[in-house]
Amino acid sequence: MNEGGGDKKKPKKKPRKRGGNGGAAKTVKQQLPQDKAERVAPHHLITKKRSAENGDNQQPKKTVKQQLPQDKTERVAPPQPQDKTERVARPQPQNKTERVARPQPQDKTERVAQPQPVDKKCPAENGDGQKPKKRKPRKKKLGGDITEAKQNIDVKKKETEKTKAGETKSNPGERRSNTGETKTVVTGEKGELVKKRKKIFKKKKKPKENQSTVEKIDNQSTVELIDNSNFDFGNSERSFKNLEGSISPKTLRVLQQLGFKEMTEIQAKAIPKLLQGLDLRGTAKTGSGKTLAFTIPVIELMSKLNFMPSQGTGVVILSPTRELSIQTRDVLAPFAKAHSLTMELIIGGTNMKTEAAKLRQGVNIIVATPGRFLDHLRSTKDFIFKNMACLVLDEADRILDTGFEHDLKKILQHLPSERQTILFSATKDTKTNALAPLALKANPVEVDVDSDKNEATVDGLEQAYVVCPIEKRVSLLCRLIKENQDKKVMIFLNSVWNVKYYHHILNCLEVPVSLLHGRLSQNKRTDGFFTFKNQTKGTLLCTDVGARGWDIKGIDLIIQFDPPSDPMEYIHRVGRTARAGDSGSAILFLQPHETNFISYMKSHSVTLPHMDISWREVEELQVEELNQHDEHLSNMGKKAYRAFLRSYMALPLKSIFDPSKLDTLRVARAYGFNKEPLKVRLFRKEKRK
Ligand SMILES: Nc1ncnc2c1ncn2[C@@H]1O[C@H](COP(=O)(O)OP(=O)(O)OP(=O)(O)O)[C@@H](O)[C@H]1O
């Protein structure tokens, strides 16, 4: 067993309790008796108009009306679920035709080179808390957008009418989701909009207790039985039973034991091709079951080859993060066990000698991170990899990110060229396009199950952005966490120091949060991952180590406190919720000068409605005062300040996240300093540019 803690036993999963956290709320309340916000209904924050700016919260009708034109996207009916029967009924491309190189879809980043029109600032975006003199201009500004939204609504309505045929008549403004849950379609009527906004913080539908069970598969890991109810396939053609004859009875038995009945779209399309030994590049949205799509074929391959430990390694699966490797190992484990295949996790932060000893004994399937795997390729004597038959690159685009690209190229040089190679990811970028010819054989099978979808994010996700001046971010964050303390929340930040800093400050304020970042020791990292995984509620602050591939059930809300580097990163971050047909919410924090990101996202098929904040109800935290009482916090604040500026500089979308538009004095205030606590030389240079 390695030291990474990946083999740690997971406690039996308890049924999720979604009741309020009375005790915790009380403590926070006691701690912050001034918090007016505590006195208002939990959903007040987002449903109320900007009463702070108006200095008037007595006009609820106007409030809602003011929200209406703010956001054209809110008025657009959410994308209708594709008719799955139709999708599946389409003739499958013949194998030979598939192997002919199809024109590669344009990389989205290329498509969106032109600067998009800047959203006009709303008063809240100015952060001045001033009442706007007139409301009308705001309506005018979005007039065009509304027209567009109306057109979209008309189109969507027609589509909806078609798909509704055969459904029971429902109330206007309601539709049945594919999970059978009633959803409100935004028709522009006030009441319904309020309903939709409230849903951002609404509790997720709880799975029925008997639908999800945890069962121990072996001594090393526990694997959850699958609750199929959210994946509404309704199509027996996708039944795993149809693979009888192409996959072994042992594999079918494990699938059955785990509760997998029907394949997801990516599985149905990729597995048959992979079983033929073809190279494949697969793209499907987050949480769509890509792991199993490669797990079954690699297990079958090893089983057919009758691979013995003395033959060394037959399959290598590379993932960009340690947690993702641990997770993949856990998915593979019951299948490997059923076929008596040896399997090992090879990730950084663990004892290399122990790993080397295992490799020498012969490990049929390796699940690894690229750096550590390369170390073994280079230095572990008697590690047999010349028989390697298959290489899987999970989250292929991320593997190519800085640091891994070099490792991967070296790995490819070491491995036998006669092998099957499989690339999977939820997103594609230019780097993956560049890797494909290096790693894959000519003309690999391309399976992109989302190419015909309007939205790049999943159907069950409700997302919105808030415009928040930097010095108010911590207050708003605190408020959001408190409001969602009975839920499971992930908060993304862009630097380790800021994760540490906000972890400290929030815990000082008795807002309990945990943290996870790449500089923790492997044991702490794995513990943190599993603790969060097994919690029914709680808030985790993390860097992008948590953005990719984590398959944690029951995450209700994703908050992106710092912006993602690009739309792909956004998609992966929000992909930690609303997985496998489930629902979830996501909120993106933007500073007033960053709102161009929204149109940029739209051009990448991510539509983000604006979420209003009633600033009056957000208690302002006096970070400066906290600094005076806590020297440690003040010191951390300095480091976090510097890390924030540096990470901001590192954001690639300079025209949107423009360092020259960042007011360092305001940034300093956000960390409780009334002047810049230290000079960040590189940042100054960048600003001058
Ligand atoms: N055929 C299936 N039926 C029911 N549930 C499934 C099926 N296949 C996978 N799942 C479940 O769906 C969830 C998401 O799967 P997985 O982690 O493989 O998604 P992914 O596509 O790799 O996501 P990401 O892109 O975020 O890494 C898992 O909990 C898995 O158990």
Side-chain angles (χ1 to χ4, degrees), residues 402-444:
T402 333
F404 287 135
E405 192 171 355
H406 170 81
D407 289 352
L408 190 61
K409 284 182 180 160
K410 292 277 168 218
I411 289 170
L412 291 174
Q413 284 169 13
H414 279 80
L415 298 182
S417 54
E418 267 313 304
R419 56 158 203 268
Q420 180 180 24
T421 307
I422 307 168
L423 259 68
F424 267 115
S425 187
T427 50
K428 279 183 191 168
D429 68 1
T430 36
K431 281 189 173 175
T432 333
N433 292 339
L435 170 80
L438 280 179
L440 299 160
K441 289 191 198 97
N443 304 329

Short mmCIF file of all heavy atoms in Angstrom, two decimals, residues 402-444:
data_model
loop_
_atom_site.label_atom_id
_atom_site.label_comp_id
_atom_site.label_asym_id
_atom_site.label_seq_id
_atom_site.Cartn_x
_atom_site.Cartn_y
_atom_site.Cartn_z
N THR A 402 1.13 23.28 -18.32
CA THR A 402 2.52 23.51 -17.91
C THR A 402 3.02 22.46 -16.93
O THR A 402 2.35 22.13 -15.97
CB THR A 402 2.63 24.89 -17.20
OG1 THR A 402 1.60 25.69 -17.70
CG2 THR A 402 3.98 25.50 -17.43
N GLY A 403 4.18 21.99 -17.18
CA GLY A 403 4.77 21.02 -16.26
C GLY A 403 4.57 19.60 -16.75
O GLY A 403 5.49 18.80 -16.70
N PHE A 404 3.40 19.30 -17.26
CA PHE A 404 3.12 17.93 -17.68
C PHE A 404 3.47 17.68 -19.14
O PHE A 404 3.69 16.55 -19.54
CB PHE A 404 1.64 17.60 -17.47
CG PHE A 404 1.26 17.42 -16.03
CD1 PHE A 404 0.12 18.00 -15.52
CD2 PHE A 404 2.04 16.63 -15.19
CE1 PHE A 404 -0.24 17.83 -14.20
CE2 PHE A 404 1.70 16.45 -13.87
CZ PHE A 404 0.55 17.06 -13.37
N GLU A 405 3.45 18.73 -19.92
CA GLU A 405 3.64 18.55 -21.36
C GLU A 405 4.99 17.89 -21.64
O GLU A 405 5.09 16.92 -22.38
CB GLU A 405 3.57 19.92 -22.04
CG GLU A 405 3.46 19.78 -23.55
CD GLU A 405 3.17 21.11 -24.23
OE1 GLU A 405 2.96 22.12 -23.52
OE2 GLU A 405 3.18 21.12 -25.46
N HIS A 406 6.00 18.43 -20.97
CA HIS A 406 7.35 17.90 -21.14
C HIS A 406 7.40 16.44 -20.70
O HIS A 406 7.90 15.58 -21.43
CB HIS A 406 8.32 18.76 -20.31
CG HIS A 406 9.69 18.19 -20.22
ND1 HIS A 406 10.61 18.34 -21.22
CD2 HIS A 406 10.27 17.44 -19.26
CE1 HIS A 406 11.72 17.71 -20.87
NE2 HIS A 406 11.55 17.16 -19.68
N ASP A 407 6.84 16.17 -19.51
CA ASP A 407 6.84 14.80 -18.98
C ASP A 407 6.16 13.84 -19.94
O ASP A 407 6.64 12.73 -20.19
CB ASP A 407 6.11 14.74 -17.63
CG ASP A 407 6.90 15.42 -16.53
OD1 ASP A 407 8.06 15.78 -16.79
OD2 ASP A 407 6.36 15.59 -15.43
N LEU A 408 5.05 14.29 -20.46
CA LEU A 408 4.28 13.41 -21.33
C LEU A 408 5.06 13.08 -22.61
O LEU A 408 5.07 11.92 -23.06
CB LEU A 408 2.95 14.07 -21.68
CG LEU A 408 1.98 13.14 -22.38
CD1 LEU A 408 1.63 11.95 -21.51
CD2 LEU A 408 0.71 13.87 -22.76
N LYS A 409 5.70 14.07 -23.17
CA LYS A 409 6.48 13.81 -24.39
C LYS A 409 7.58 12.79 -24.10
O LYS A 409 7.83 11.89 -24.90
CB LYS A 409 7.06 15.12 -24.93
CG LYS A 409 5.98 15.92 -25.64
CD LYS A 409 6.52 17.20 -26.24
CE LYS A 409 5.36 17.93 -26.92
NZ LYS A 409 5.64 19.34 -27.11
N LYS A 410 8.20 12.92 -22.95
CA LYS A 410 9.26 11.97 -22.58
C LYS A 410 8.67 10.57 -22.38
O LYS A 410 9.25 9.58 -22.79
CB LYS A 410 9.95 12.41 -21.26
CG LYS A 410 10.75 13.68 -21.41
CD LYS A 410 12.12 13.38 -21.96
CE LYS A 410 12.84 14.65 -22.39
NZ LYS A 410 13.63 14.55 -23.58
N ILE A 411 7.52 10.53 -21.72
CA ILE A 411 6.87 9.23 -21.48
C ILE A 411 6.60 8.55 -22.82
O ILE A 411 6.88 7.36 -23.00
CB ILE A 411 5.55 9.42 -20.67
CG1 ILE A 411 5.87 9.82 -19.23
CG2 ILE A 411 4.71 8.16 -20.70
CD1 ILE A 411 4.67 10.25 -18.42
N LEU A 412 6.06 9.33 -23.76
CA LEU A 412 5.73 8.74 -25.06
C LEU A 412 6.97 8.18 -25.75
O LEU A 412 6.90 7.17 -26.46
CB LEU A 412 5.05 9.80 -25.96
CG LEU A 412 3.64 10.22 -25.52
CD1 LEU A 412 3.11 11.37 -26.38
CD2 LEU A 412 2.68 9.05 -25.56
N GLN A 413 8.11 8.83 -25.52
CA GLN A 413 9.36 8.33 -26.13
C GLN A 413 9.75 6.96 -25.55
O GLN A 413 10.32 6.13 -26.24
CB GLN A 413 10.50 9.31 -25.88
CG GLN A 413 10.43 10.54 -26.78
CD GLN A 413 11.41 11.63 -26.33
OE1 GLN A 413 12.30 11.39 -25.52
NE2 GLN A 413 11.22 12.82 -26.86
N HIS A 414 9.47 6.77 -24.26
CA HIS A 414 9.86 5.51 -23.61
C HIS A 414 8.96 4.33 -23.99
O HIS A 414 9.40 3.20 -23.98
CB HIS A 414 9.80 5.65 -22.08
CG HIS A 414 11.01 6.31 -21.49
ND1 HIS A 414 11.19 7.67 -21.50
CD2 HIS A 414 12.10 5.79 -20.87
CE1 HIS A 414 12.32 7.96 -20.90
NE2 HIS A 414 12.90 6.84 -20.52
N LEU A 415 7.68 4.63 -24.24
CA LEU A 415 6.72 3.53 -24.37
C LEU A 415 6.73 2.90 -25.76
O LEU A 415 7.05 3.57 -26.75
CB LEU A 415 5.30 4.06 -24.07
CG LEU A 415 5.10 4.60 -22.65
CD1 LEU A 415 3.66 5.05 -22.45
CD2 LEU A 415 5.47 3.56 -21.59
N PRO A 416 6.38 1.62 -25.84
CA PRO A 416 6.34 0.97 -27.15
C PRO A 416 5.33 1.68 -28.06
O PRO A 416 4.25 2.07 -27.60
CB PRO A 416 5.87 -0.45 -26.85
CG PRO A 416 5.66 -0.55 -25.40
CD PRO A 416 5.96 0.73 -24.75
N SER A 417 5.68 1.84 -29.31
CA SER A 417 4.78 2.59 -30.21
C SER A 417 3.60 1.72 -30.65
O SER A 417 2.54 2.23 -31.00
CB SER A 417 5.54 3.12 -31.42
OG SER A 417 6.20 2.04 -32.04
N GLU A 418 3.77 0.41 -30.61
CA GLU A 418 2.66 -0.49 -30.97
C GLU A 418 1.74 -0.65 -29.78
O GLU A 418 1.91 -1.56 -28.96
CB GLU A 418 3.20 -1.85 -31.40
CG GLU A 418 3.42 -1.98 -32.90
CD GLU A 418 2.23 -1.48 -33.73
OE1 GLU A 418 1.12 -1.98 -33.51
OE2 GLU A 418 2.41 -0.57 -34.57
N ARG A 419 0.82 0.22 -29.64
CA ARG A 419 -0.09 0.15 -28.49
C ARG A 419 -1.39 0.84 -28.88
O ARG A 419 -1.43 1.60 -29.86
CB ARG A 419 0.53 0.86 -27.27
CG ARG A 419 0.91 2.28 -27.57
CD ARG A 419 1.03 3.20 -26.40
NE ARG A 419 0.86 4.56 -26.89
CZ ARG A 419 1.84 5.36 -27.28
NH1 ARG A 419 3.11 4.97 -27.22
NH2 ARG A 419 1.58 6.56 -27.75
N GLN A 420 -2.39 0.62 -28.07
CA GLN A 420 -3.64 1.35 -28.24
C GLN A 420 -3.55 2.60 -27.36
O GLN A 420 -3.07 2.51 -26.22
CB GLN A 420 -4.82 0.47 -27.79
CG GLN A 420 -6.17 1.14 -27.93
CD GLN A 420 -7.32 0.26 -27.48
OE1 GLN A 420 -7.15 -0.66 -26.66
NE2 GLN A 420 -8.50 0.52 -28.01
N THR A 421 -3.97 3.73 -27.88
CA THR A 421 -3.93 4.95 -27.06
C THR A 421 -5.33 5.58 -27.02
O THR A 421 -6.02 5.67 -28.03
CB THR A 421 -2.91 5.96 -27.63
OG1 THR A 421 -1.66 5.29 -27.78
CG2 THR A 421 -2.73 7.16 -26.70
N ILE A 422 -5.69 6.00 -25.82
CA ILE A 422 -7.04 6.55 -25.60
C ILE A 422 -6.92 7.91 -24.92
O ILE A 422 -6.24 8.04 -23.89
CB ILE A 422 -7.87 5.60 -24.69
CG1 ILE A 422 -7.87 4.17 -25.26
CG2 ILE A 422 -9.27 6.12 -24.51
CD1 ILE A 422 -8.40 3.11 -24.28
N LEU A 423 -7.55 8.90 -25.47
CA LEU A 423 -7.54 10.25 -24.87
C LEU A 423 -8.96 10.61 -24.48
O LEU A 423 -9.87 10.52 -25.31
CB LEU A 423 -7.08 11.27 -25.92
CG LEU A 423 -5.66 11.79 -25.90
CD1 LEU A 423 -4.73 10.68 -26.29
CD2 LEU A 423 -5.49 12.94 -26.89
N PHE A 424 -9.14 11.01 -23.24
CA PHE A 424 -10.48 11.43 -22.82
C PHE A 424 -10.42 12.78 -22.14
O PHE A 424 -9.48 13.07 -21.39
CB PHE A 424 -11.08 10.43 -21.81
CG PHE A 424 -11.91 9.36 -22.46
CD1 PHE A 424 -11.53 8.04 -22.43
CD2 PHE A 424 -13.09 9.70 -23.11
CE1 PHE A 424 -12.29 7.05 -23.03
CE2 PHE A 424 -13.87 8.72 -23.71
CZ PHE A 424 -13.47 7.39 -23.68
N SER A 425 -11.41 13.60 -22.40
CA SER A 425 -11.52 14.87 -21.67
C SER A 425 -12.92 15.43 -21.81
O SER A 425 -13.67 15.02 -22.70
CB SER A 425 -10.51 15.88 -22.22
OG SER A 425 -10.53 17.02 -21.40
N ALA A 426 -13.25 16.37 -20.91
CA ALA A 426 -14.55 17.02 -21.02
C ALA A 426 -14.44 18.22 -21.96
O ALA A 426 -15.44 18.73 -22.44
CB ALA A 426 -15.03 17.47 -19.64
N THR A 427 -13.23 18.69 -22.17
CA THR A 427 -13.04 19.85 -23.04
C THR A 427 -11.86 19.59 -23.97
O THR A 427 -11.00 18.77 -23.66
CB THR A 427 -12.73 21.11 -22.20
OG1 THR A 427 -11.69 20.80 -21.28
CG2 THR A 427 -13.94 21.62 -21.45
N LYS A 428 -11.85 20.30 -25.07
CA LYS A 428 -10.71 20.17 -25.99
C LYS A 428 -10.03 21.52 -26.09
O LYS A 428 -10.69 22.55 -26.03
CB LYS A 428 -11.23 19.85 -27.39
CG LYS A 428 -11.58 18.42 -27.63
CD LYS A 428 -11.99 18.29 -29.08
CE LYS A 428 -12.60 16.96 -29.37
NZ LYS A 428 -13.25 16.95 -30.68
N ASP A 429 -8.77 21.51 -26.24
CA ASP A 429 -8.11 22.78 -26.52
C ASP A 429 -7.02 22.56 -27.56
O ASP A 429 -6.80 21.44 -28.02
CB ASP A 429 -7.58 23.45 -25.24
CG ASP A 429 -6.43 22.68 -24.62
OD1 ASP A 429 -6.04 21.66 -25.19
OD2 ASP A 429 -5.94 23.12 -23.57
N THR A 430 -6.34 23.63 -27.90
CA THR A 430 -5.34 23.54 -28.97
C THR A 430 -4.23 22.56 -28.61
O THR A 430 -3.70 21.88 -29.47
CB THR A 430 -4.72 24.91 -29.25
OG1 THR A 430 -4.60 25.59 -28.02
CG2 THR A 430 -5.55 25.72 -30.22
N LYS A 431 -3.92 22.51 -27.31
CA LYS A 431 -2.83 21.62 -26.91
C LYS A 431 -3.19 20.16 -27.16
O LYS A 431 -2.35 19.36 -27.55
CB LYS A 431 -2.51 21.83 -25.43
CG LYS A 431 -1.67 23.06 -25.22
CD LYS A 431 -1.19 23.11 -23.80
CE LYS A 431 -0.20 24.23 -23.60
NZ LYS A 431 0.18 24.37 -22.21
N THR A 432 -4.44 19.80 -26.87
CA THR A 432 -4.84 18.41 -27.11
C THR A 432 -4.76 18.12 -28.60
O THR A 432 -4.36 17.02 -29.00
CB THR A 432 -6.29 18.15 -26.63
OG1 THR A 432 -6.61 19.05 -25.60
CG2 THR A 432 -6.49 16.74 -26.19
N ASN A 433 -5.16 19.09 -29.41
CA ASN A 433 -5.06 18.88 -30.86
C ASN A 433 -3.63 18.61 -31.25
O ASN A 433 -3.35 17.79 -32.13
CB ASN A 433 -5.59 20.11 -31.62
CG ASN A 433 -7.08 20.27 -31.44
OD1 ASN A 433 -7.77 19.31 -31.10
ND2 ASN A 433 -7.58 21.47 -31.66
N ALA A 434 -2.70 19.32 -30.59
CA ALA A 434 -1.29 19.14 -30.93
C ALA A 434 -0.78 17.79 -30.44
O ALA A 434 0.08 17.18 -31.08
CB ALA A 434 -0.47 20.27 -30.31
N LEU A 435 -1.33 17.33 -29.33
CA LEU A 435 -0.85 16.06 -28.77
C LEU A 435 -1.33 14.86 -29.60
O LEU A 435 -0.60 13.89 -29.77
CB LEU A 435 -1.36 15.89 -27.34
CG LEU A 435 -1.12 14.51 -26.74
CD1 LEU A 435 0.32 14.39 -26.26
CD2 LEU A 435 -2.07 14.20 -25.62
N ALA A 436 -2.54 14.99 -30.13
CA ALA A 436 -3.15 13.84 -30.80
C ALA A 436 -2.20 13.16 -31.79
O ALA A 436 -1.99 11.95 -31.70
CB ALA A 436 -4.46 14.27 -31.46
N PRO A 437 -1.58 13.90 -32.72
CA PRO A 437 -0.70 13.19 -33.66
C PRO A 437 0.53 12.56 -33.00
O PRO A 437 1.05 11.57 -33.49
CB PRO A 437 -0.27 14.28 -34.65
CG PRO A 437 -0.72 15.57 -34.09
CD PRO A 437 -1.71 15.32 -33.03
N LEU A 438 0.94 13.12 -31.87
CA LEU A 438 2.10 12.56 -31.17
C LEU A 438 1.76 11.25 -30.47
O LEU A 438 2.55 10.31 -30.46
CB LEU A 438 2.60 13.53 -30.08
CG LEU A 438 3.45 14.70 -30.47
CD1 LEU A 438 3.79 15.50 -29.23
CD2 LEU A 438 4.74 14.20 -31.14
N ALA A 439 0.58 11.22 -29.87
CA ALA A 439 0.23 10.07 -29.04
C ALA A 439 -0.58 9.01 -29.76
O ALA A 439 -0.41 7.82 -29.53
CB ALA A 439 -0.54 10.56 -27.82
N LEU A 440 -1.49 9.46 -30.63
CA LEU A 440 -2.44 8.52 -31.25
C LEU A 440 -1.95 8.09 -32.63
O LEU A 440 -1.17 8.79 -33.27
CB LEU A 440 -3.80 9.21 -31.42
CG LEU A 440 -4.51 9.69 -30.16
CD1 LEU A 440 -5.54 10.74 -30.51
CD2 LEU A 440 -5.17 8.53 -29.45
N LYS A 441 -2.47 6.96 -33.06
CA LYS A 441 -2.17 6.52 -34.43
C LYS A 441 -2.91 7.46 -35.39
O LYS A 441 -3.83 8.16 -34.99
CB LYS A 441 -2.68 5.10 -34.63
CG LYS A 441 -1.88 4.07 -33.89
CD LYS A 441 -2.27 2.67 -34.36
CE LYS A 441 -1.82 1.65 -33.34
NZ LYS A 441 -2.87 1.25 -32.41
N ALA A 442 -2.51 7.39 -36.66
CA ALA A 442 -3.19 8.24 -37.64
C ALA A 442 -4.67 7.88 -37.69
O ALA A 442 -5.04 6.72 -37.51
CB ALA A 442 -2.56 8.03 -39.01
N ASN A 443 -5.49 8.88 -37.89
CA ASN A 443 -6.93 8.70 -38.00
C ASN A 443 -7.58 7.96 -36.85
O ASN A 443 -8.20 6.91 -37.04
CB ASN A 443 -7.28 7.98 -39.31
CG ASN A 443 -6.74 8.71 -40.50
OD1 ASN A 443 -6.62 9.94 -40.48
ND2 ASN A 443 -6.37 7.98 -41.54
N PRO A 444 -7.44 8.46 -35.65
CA PRO A 444 -8.11 7.79 -34.53
C PRO A 444 -9.62 8.00 -34.61
O PRO A 444 -10.09 8.90 -35.31
CB PRO A 444 -7.54 8.52 -33.31
CG PRO A 444 -7.20 9.88 -33.82
CD PRO A 444 -6.79 9.70 -35.25
#
